[in-house]
Amino acid sequence: MSWLQRLFSRKRAENDLDRELRFHFESQVADKISSGISESEARRLTRLEFGGIDQIKEDCRESRGSQWLESIVQDVRYGLRQLRKSPGFTLTVVVTLALGIGANTSIFTLVHSVLERSLPVNDPSRLYRVGDQGTCCYFDGFESDNGDFDLFPYDLYLELRHSSPEFEQLAALQAGGSSLSVRSGSSAAKPLRSEFVSGNYFATLGVGVYAGRPLMPSDDKTGAASVLVLSYPAWQSDFAGDPRIIGSTVYVQTHPFTVVGVAPPGFFGDRIIESPPDFWLPLANEPIIEGAGTSLWPQGDEDTAWLYLLGRVTPQTNIAALQAKLTVKLRQWMSAHVTYTAHGGAAQIPRQHVVLVPGGGGIQRLQQQTGKGLRMLMILSSVVLLIACANIANLLLARGLTRRAELSVRMALGAARARIICQILTQSMLLGLIGGTAGVAVAYSLSHMILALAFPQARNMPVQASPSLPVVGFALLVSLLTGTLFGTAPVWLSSQAKAVETLHGANRSAGNRSSLAQKVLVILQVGLSIVLLSGAFLMARSLANLEHQNFGIETANRYVLRFDPQGSGYTAERLPVLYRQIEDRFSALPSVINVSLARYTPLDGNEWGTCIVQQGHPAPGPGDKCFSSWVRVSNRFLQSIGVPIVRGRNFSAQDSQASTPVVLVNQSFARYFFPNQDPLGKHFGLVSPKNSRAFEIAGVFADFKMGDPRREVTPLFLRPLSQQYLGYTDPEAVSSEKSSMFVGSIIIQFANSQQNAEATIRQALAEIDPNLTLFYFSSYESQVARNFNQDRLIARLTSLFGGLALTLASVGLYGVVSFLVARRTSEIGIRMAMGATRASVVSMVLRGAFWQVLVGTALGIPAALYAGHLMSSMLYRVSGYDPLAYTGGAVALGICAAIAGFIPARRAASIDPMLALREE
Amino acid sequence: MPIYLLLSKRACVIIHVGNQKVEAMKEKTDVRQGTLGLMVLKTLDVLGPLHGYGIARRIEQISGDLLAVNQGTLYPVLLKLEQEGAIASEWGASENNRRARFYRLTRAGHKQLEVETRGWEQTTAIIARFFEVKAEDLS
């Protein structure tokens, strides 16, 4: 029989053994009787000779060899029975574990899948990126104050590629990326995300295709056919996974392109972003889409930097040497270009450099943006796990102590100490396993929730919410270890003591040292909770400051929609008619007060900016701050967002192509460029002194936040839709001016709140032109709120963790106080019998709890201050040492602790002295 | 016989009356460690199938009642031998018609018995030589 069979035939083996031993016994008795001894005496003697039958059985079981397994099965059953017998304890531990493990696992899962993720490409370790920052846009030839270069012009890319054979392949990819209208067959145009890449992009990453062929260097040549490669998710969702799409023609911004391939299913491009590219186009096709506004040299400017560089180095490349070499190349190239040398720029060139960073994780822009918040959440969730562990330790400790009498009896009856410890261990493991399973479920739903909250606009985002196994394992291990350690320690200790002593009086005591460990644990919990609670208060206040700040605009009953006239085939000449139709049609809708058009709307995340040159001023040098944002708007723009004119006049119907080109500037613009002067009537132009007479300031409007709501208001000016400046000679400026006439946003203000504004607006737009696709529709409130998605998420999670910590600490305190009260029942009974009042009993119990909370708070506050100091860069208009947050944290904890202590204290006070004394 | 008086807080008295164990009639030795298995095998070899009680009695009988076979030692040894495949067991009727478990020697048990017998003979022969040895024999 194998030991496994023996395990299952255990019952039979036990029966057989029992019968065999009984037979032996009876035979021995029979022999004695036959030798003339009376039956009762014979039995007595036999029993004496025999010794303990159970002892014999145990010896036999041991030699059966499957005892260890049998006893594990037994222990598991026993453990489950025990847990079922005390559902309150079990539930508390399981919920604590589930929340601790769940919170941790979900955060670590996110960190793992966002921060530590490699691109799904071939051999990512040999990928290196030239440049290390997530710079998306810049103005001025030099990109940063320290000379770090991240964005590259096409011409420079070619130069670097040709001069560095250390790169097996060096690819260039568009730093930005935009939504383009894509139409296939007769269906309506859809906005799809695009990315221009060099022809060797797929070869550099070592990525093939799912169907068709990848982009190739031959596609990336002037005059090559227009082609694109679709992403797998886009192919599935927008082209119904139709294999006939390969080789067919689709229209991108009305230009025909041939689909040559579909990328592999897991491939999401070169970086993790909310909406990864739906298709990739060769850089050479960029002028087809952008027309005269192209950034691609030689048609475009040779110094327009718009590309990130990602390369695959040959094995054994010396990265430091390569970095130095590229830096030298960069400086040489700059020295040959007047953009960089003019106006004192030449002195800056020696400081310019590139940094090579491992590119296996792709472009780390999202990682740099979210890394800080994620790491903070990681720390917070670890603290929650720590508190949870302390709680479990406390519960198990208390339980172990109350079971001391039971264990002593069992040991006195001959149970082996190892066996008892084994049972307790099994029980802790069971708890851990149940809690861990629940924790995985919590982690799964929590990561989903976090992702949905953090990236609500995500479309095919390559971040999975499934908890990673190593993380679950780690959290489980930590809690199991705590459980085991604290579950077993009291048993071990009590097993050292003489059983008799424990039987005499372990359960009767007036305060004792074994509860010291429990008190320390409670103090630890209180301290950590204070840290989390103050953090939560800080984040909540920061979020409230962000959300309820004065943005300077009115949002009530206003809606924003976006469409793409260029992608729908409109030419510049047809625009004025279209705009007038839009204004007329929407104004005619019931209860509409204002309709305006704008290139960008405040707080929609986009901005356009340029260097301005005042009339009579020289061209600004590299260090001069000449930057101002600007927006092309229709005449009623300021009314539609409720911004008043503070000086001068608003745009009017008189501002036409024939009249003086006018602009409106905000107060910051006036303060910054015209300090202590009247800005009205002043002139300025863009980029170069020769245009500096171009625009005349007609009015000043009140400051409002256009771009980043965390920053102070920056200079901004508005130009009317009715005036296109025709004085430019430089072709790039001409085309840029022309493209600024394409505005894609409409703001509609209603007199009252609307039920189904979207349907009404959609219909109105379709009535103007069925080809106009609505890309985006949102109430103005939610457009503003979207700016704070991540702040809100972090604040909510911090509050969640703070709340968790508070609950756990309260439960821990409650547990310890009730445990002490239960152990001191007889003492309290005697006190009351001797005349102690109920109030004095309550205060005696509360005093004990109060000390623990006080010590915990005293230790927690400095730790919280330090945490606040670390968090200060993430706070908006709240100091990291905000006294309100710390008071709030302490008060919240104090209230909960008072409740947690008062319940058992009241129980203590209601002890009946007679019953308590009789309990002995 | 010592008498201990223990006072507990429960105010009742526990009187310890000493060891009640009855002295055995005859001085018996326990079976030497490791030899019981061999005795079991030899007994079964000579007498054919026997139940546990029978084995115990026979061993005591053969030893001239100098050995006492403790049940607590016998049954674990029987189990072990059975697991090793040296003996096999089945249920049958005893002399007085009760159901008892009978053990018999298997082929492997025969072989094991032979091997162990030879080993013991060798050991006893060697030990015997040592007991007989005198100083002059070695000079």
Side-chain angles (χ1 to χ4, degrees):
Chain A
M1 262 197 290
S2 74
W3 59 266
L4 199 71
Q5 278 172 306
R6 259 180 264 135
L7 180 68
F8 289 110
S9 56
R10 194 180 82 96
K11 202 148 199 163
R12 225 188 67 205
E14 281 290 308
N15 274 337
D16 282 357
L17 186 62
D18 188 53
R19 268 198 291 179
E20 193 172 12
L21 287 174
R22 221 167 21 212
F23 169 76
H24 193 120
F25 184 88
E26 291 301 336
S27 301
Q28 209 161 324
V29 170
D31 271 7
K32 286 202 162 45
I33 292 172
S34 65
S35 70
I37 301 172
S38 75
E39 193 186 330
S40 62
E41 181 64 7
R43 283 194 179 277
R44 198 182 70 84
L45 285 175
T46 312
R47 217 171 282 132
L48 281 174
E49 283 172 23
F50 229 76
I53 281 203
D54 283 306
Q55 208 60 48
I56 298 174
K57 283 187 185 169
E58 191 69 18
D59 286 342
C60 288
R61 284 181 203 125
E62 214 165 283
S63 69
R64 270 212 297 268
S66 53
Q67 201 204 13
W68 57 275
L69 227 133
E70 280 169 32
S71 62
I72 286 180
V73 172
Q74 257 182 359
D75 287 355
V76 168
R77 284 203 184 132
Y78 175 74
L80 285 175
R81 232 169 21 239
Q82 287 274 310
L83 294 182
R84 215 176 307 138
K85 251 179 60 189
S86 40
F89 165 79
T90 311
L91 193 72
T92 316
V93 172
V94 167
V95 168
T96 307
L97 266 182
L99 293 177
I101 293 179
N104 251 278
T105 310
S106 54
I107 298 296
F108 274 80
T109 300
L110 280 187
V111 168
H112 191 73
S113 61
V114 173
L115 298 187
E116 288 153 15
R117 173 106 171 266
S118 277
L119 294 178
V121 299
N122 190 22
D123 193 6
S125 65
R126 277 202 291 140
L127 289 179
Y128 277 85
R129 187 187 154 201
V130 187
D132 58 344
Q133 296 301 309
T135 320
C136 75
C137 351
Y138 73 103
F139 180 78
D140 195 350
F142 300 108
E143 293 179 9
S144 60
D145 292 339
N146 65 6
D148 196 4
F149 232 71
D150 306 294
L151 280 168
F152 296 83
Y154 185 65
D155 180 33
L156 177 55
Y157 158 63
L158 293 181
E159 174 79 24
L160 293 180
R161 192 173 80 184
H162 291 144
S163 61
S164 31
E166 292 86 345
F167 283 112
E168 224 172 72
Q169 297 280 2
L170 181 62
L173 26 129
Q174 190 184 3
S178 46
S179 266
L180 299 180
S181 297
V182 178
R183 185 150 70 172
S184 79
S186 56
S187 56
K190 293 171 193 164
L192 293 186
R193 301 292 304 175
S194 65
E195 183 176 326
F196 288 105
V197 296
S198 57
N200 61 356
Y201 180 72
F202 286 89
T204 305
L205 296 176
V207 169
V209 284
Y210 175 79
R213 64 166 181 88
L215 294 180
M216 310 223 225
S218 55
D219 296 318
D220 193 14
K221 290 205 164 75
T222 322
S226 311
V227 296
L228 59 85
V229 167
L230 284 174
S231 80
Y232 184 85
W235 178 54
Q236 286 293 323
S237 59
D238 296 302
F239 298 94
D242 184 358
R244 286 170 302 175
I245 194 76
I246 309 282
S248 72
T249 302
V250 296
Y251 294 87
V252 181
Q253 303 286 88
T254 70
H255 305 287
F257 277 74
T258 308
V259 179
V260 294
V262 174
F267 182 66
F268 54 83
D270 47 69
R271 64 199 97 163
I272 298 174
I273 40 174
E274 265 187 84
S275 308
D278 295 310
F279 61 102
W280 291 272
L281 309 145
L283 292 174
N285 291 157
E286 197 251 7
I288 298 177
I289 304 288
E290 296 296 330
T294 179
S295 309
L296 192 75
W297 179 83
Q299 295 99 309
D301 247 20
E302 60 185 358
D303 50 15
T304 306
W306 61 297
L307 300 168
Y308 287 145
L309 304 190
L310 192 62
R312 178 174 291 273
V313 295
T314 53
Q316 278 100 45
T317 299
N318 182 340
I319 298 301
L322 179 57
Q323 178 174 313
K325 180 178 158 182
L326 291 173
T327 298
V328 171
K329 285 279 160 209
L330 170 77
R331 290 176 190 158
Q332 283 172 354
W333 183 86
M334 283 177 160
S335 307
H337 285 78
V338 69
T339 321
Y340 301 97
T341 50
H343 313 299
Q348 301 278 337
I349 291 179
R351 291 177 50 228
Q352 305 304 312
H353 62 269
V354 295
V355 179
L356 247 72
V357 291
I363 309 297
Q364 303 277 302
R365 202 153 80 192
L366 180 83
Q367 287 86 336
Q368 280 158 359
Q369 281 165 3
T370 58
K372 202 160 187 176
L374 274 177
R375 285 204 187 85
M376 186 186 88
L377 289 177
M378 207 161 90
I379 295 173
L380 295 185
S381 67
S382 312
V383 174
V384 170
L385 185 65
L386 210 60
I387 296 178
C389 284
N391 223 12
I392 290 164
N394 227 334
L395 283 165
L396 287 171
L397 211 54
R399 197 172 151 82
L401 289 174
T402 48
R403 285 182 65 189
R404 258 164 71 168
E406 175 210 331
L407 296 178
S408 304
V409 171
R410 283 170 60 187
M411 264 186 284
L413 291 177
R417 181 195 298 166
R419 196 61 210 288
I420 288 183
I421 290 182
C422 222
Q423 277 183 352
I424 306 255
L425 262 174
T426 313
Q427 210 180 323
S428 310
M429 299 269 180
L430 275 176
L431 275 175
L433 279 179
I434 300 173
T437 317
V440 173
V442 171
Y444 195 76
S445 44
L446 196 61
S447 353
H448 268 285
M449 193 192 85
I450 294 175
L451 272 185
L453 280 174
F455 307 107
Q457 271 98 51
R459 187 186 129 94
N460 306 328
M461 188 173 182
V463 174
Q464 265 79 44
S466 359
S468 71
L469 275 181
V471 174
V472 175
F474 173 76
L476 194 59
L477 196 74
V478 170
S479 28
L480 271 184
L481 270 178
T482 346
T484 310
L485 198 66
F486 286 90
T488 322
V491 181
W492 181 260
L493 289 178
S494 64
S495 72
Q496 302 290 59
K498 290 241 165 58
V500 170
E501 276 174 27
T502 323
L503 281 176
H504 271 171
N507 276 354
R508 188 150 27 91
S509 111
N512 64 51
R513 68 204 140 72
S514 56
S515 62
L516 181 69
Q518 290 176 292
K519 286 181 182 159
V520 169
L521 285 172
V522 166
I523 288 171
L524 180 75
Q525 283 183 313
V526 168
L528 292 176
S529 304
I530 289 273
V531 176
L532 285 192
L533 279 174
S534 327
F537 272 101
L538 284 177
M539 292 310 290
R541 271 174 58 82
S542 161
L543 178 67
N545 287 348
L546 269 177
E547 285 186 318
H548 301 129
Q549 63 177 301
N550 181 12
F551 298 107
I553 57 169
E554 305 271 348
T555 56
N557 303 328
R558 287 161 172 90
Y559 295 86
V560 183
L561 54 143
R562 276 206 284 279
F563 67 111
D564 179 11
Q566 201 167 15
S568 308
Y570 279 85
T571 54
E573 293 68 40
R574 291 173 59 204
L575 287 177
V577 179
L578 174 66
Y579 295 153
R580 200 168 43 249
Q581 277 178 325
I582 287 173
E583 282 178 321
D584 293 348
R585 182 68 192 81
F586 286 116
S587 303
L589 288 176
S591 66
V592 166
I593 304 174
N594 272 307
V595 177
S596 71
L597 290 135
R599 173 100 183 171
Y600 301 117
T601 55
L603 299 171
D604 70 1
N606 279 312
E607 250 183 302
W608 233 24
T610 184
C611 180
I612 70 132
V613 185
Q614 297 164 57
Q615 186 179 16
H617 284 237
D624 294 339
K625 302 262 178 265
C626 60
F627 190 84
S628 171
S629 309
W630 78 272
V631 196
R632 177 80 72 177
V633 298
S634 69
N635 289 357
R636 298 190 66 78
F637 174 73
L638 287 176
Q639 290 95 312
S640 69
I641 55 170
V643 172
I645 294 283
V646 290
R647 271 187 65 72
R649 64 171 180 91
N650 201 338
F651 294 133
S652 75
Q654 272 71 55
D655 297 313
S656 68
Q657 199 60 50
S659 63
T660 321
V662 288
V663 296
L664 302 178
V665 302
N666 69 357
Q667 290 167 305
S668 299
F669 187 105
R671 254 197 317 276
Y672 186 80
F673 291 106
F674 302 100
N676 309 318
Q677 300 169 53
D678 184 2
L680 293 187
K682 292 279 193 312
H683 289 79
F684 68 87
L686 309 186
V687 186
S688 142
K690 66 181 180 217
N691 302 322
S692 67
R693 256 203 60 83
F695 314 123
E696 183 179 309
I697 299 175
V700 180
F701 55 90
D703 275 344
F704 62 85
K705 296 227 172 160
M706 183 71 198
D708 190 348
R710 286 160 201 79
R711 290 215 304 252
E712 294 305 312
V713 178
T714 50
L716 168 75
F717 64 92
L718 306 177
R719 294 183 54 204
L721 262 181
S722 53
Q723 296 183 330
Q724 182 178 349
Y725 184 71
L726 300 172
Y728 291 121
T729 47
D730 169 18
E732 200 209 5
V734 171
S735 94
S736 155
E737 175 71 9
K738 207 168 150 186
S739 83
S740 79
M741 300 307 289
F742 287 90
V743 301
S745 298
I746 305 173
I747 301 171
I748 299 171
Q749 181 193 0
F750 288 91
N752 40 45
S753 67
Q754 296 295 303
Q755 290 308 316
N756 44 4
E758 180 167 2
T760 321
I761 287 168
R762 235 175 229 290
Q763 200 196 338
L765 193 66
E767 279 168 22
I768 296 165
D769 180 350
N771 284 327
L772 286 174
T773 318
L774 191 62
F775 272 29
Y776 165 97
F777 177 87
S778 162
S779 74
Y780 219 122
E781 283 96 348
S782 42
Q783 169 164 314
V784 172
R786 210 161 288 147
N787 283 281
F788 312 115
N789 277 340
Q790 293 195 10
D791 304 82
R792 201 174 304 117
L793 172 73
I794 290 180
R796 275 192 196 157
L797 283 179
T798 326
S799 307
L800 180 73
F801 291 161
L804 261 177
L806 184 62
T807 316
L808 291 178
S810 307
V811 169
L813 188 71
Y814 170 79
V816 171
V817 175
S818 6
F819 173 74
L820 286 179
V821 165
R823 301 220 339 166
R824 291 170 71 183
T825 304
S826 58
E827 179 212 332
I828 294 171
I830 292 171
R831 281 175 190 270
M832 292 183 76
M834 305 289 273
T837 61
R838 293 179 56 131
S840 69
V841 170
V842 169
S843 79
M844 176 186 79
V845 174
L846 277 182
R847 212 159 37 232
F850 175 74
W851 274 109
Q852 294 168 45
V853 174
L854 200 69
V855 174
T857 312
L859 293 175
I861 291 274
L865 282 169
Y866 182 65
H869 168 72
L870 293 181
M871 277 163 64
S872 53
S873 72
M874 306 183 61
L875 298 174
Y876 180 76
R877 292 195 178 154
V878 185
S879 145
Y881 307 111
D882 182 41
L884 218 62
Y886 298 99
T887 324
V891 166
L893 191 87
I895 292 173
C896 287
I899 295 170
F902 186 69
I903 298 170
R906 236 175 62 108
R907 200 181 306 140
S910 55
I911 288 172
D912 179 343
M914 281 319 291
L915 285 181
L917 291 175
R918 230 180 262 150
E919 210 179 57
E920 281 299 297
Chain B
M1 211 166 274
I3 292 174
Y4 298 104
L5 193 80
L6 296 180
L7 276 177
S8 93
K9 288 171 185 151
R10 287 181 182 79
C12 69
V13 181
I14 298 168
I15 300 173
H16 192 82
V17 287
N19 193 347
Q20 284 194 317
K21 191 176 174 189
V22 175
E23 296 297 313
M25 316 264 192
K26 214 170 171 186
E27 196 65 34
K28 286 188 182 181
T29 15
D30 279 339
V31 182
R32 214 178 279 276
Q33 192 95 53
T35 56
L36 184 61
L38 182 57
M39 290 176 192
V40 168
L41 292 180
K42 187 63 195 174
T43 310
L44 289 178
D45 182 39
V46 176
L47 297 171
L50 276 174
H51 47 69
Y53 180 67
I55 295 173
R57 284 293 89 83
R58 289 304 184 175
I59 291 176
E60 286 175 359
Q61 191 190 352
I62 294 166
S63 74
D65 276 345
L66 287 172
L67 288 178
V69 178
N70 186 352
Q71 300 79 1
T73 336
L74 177 66
Y75 285 99
V77 167
L78 284 174
L79 256 165
K80 197 171 135 269
L81 287 172
E82 192 177 3
Q83 275 177 21
E84 286 168 2
I87 57 172
S89 72
E90 58 210 11
W91 288 88
S94 76
E95 315 79 65
N96 49 8
N97 249 339
R98 293 173 61 114
R99 273 178 66 75
R101 188 179 211 163
F102 283 87
Y103 294 91
R104 62 179 168 77
L105 211 57
T106 63
R107 195 171 298 207
H110 269 293
K111 214 168 276 172
Q112 191 179 337
L113 179 60
E114 272 168 38
V115 173
E116 284 191 32
T117 310
R118 238 175 289 134
W120 265 102
E121 280 169 358
Q122 215 169 10
T123 312
T124 43
I126 294 167
I127 297 289
R129 289 173 74 100
F130 273 89
F131 285 158
E132 284 160 13
V133 81
K134 293 187 183 74
E136 49 266 41
D137 293 347
L138 299 170
S139 61

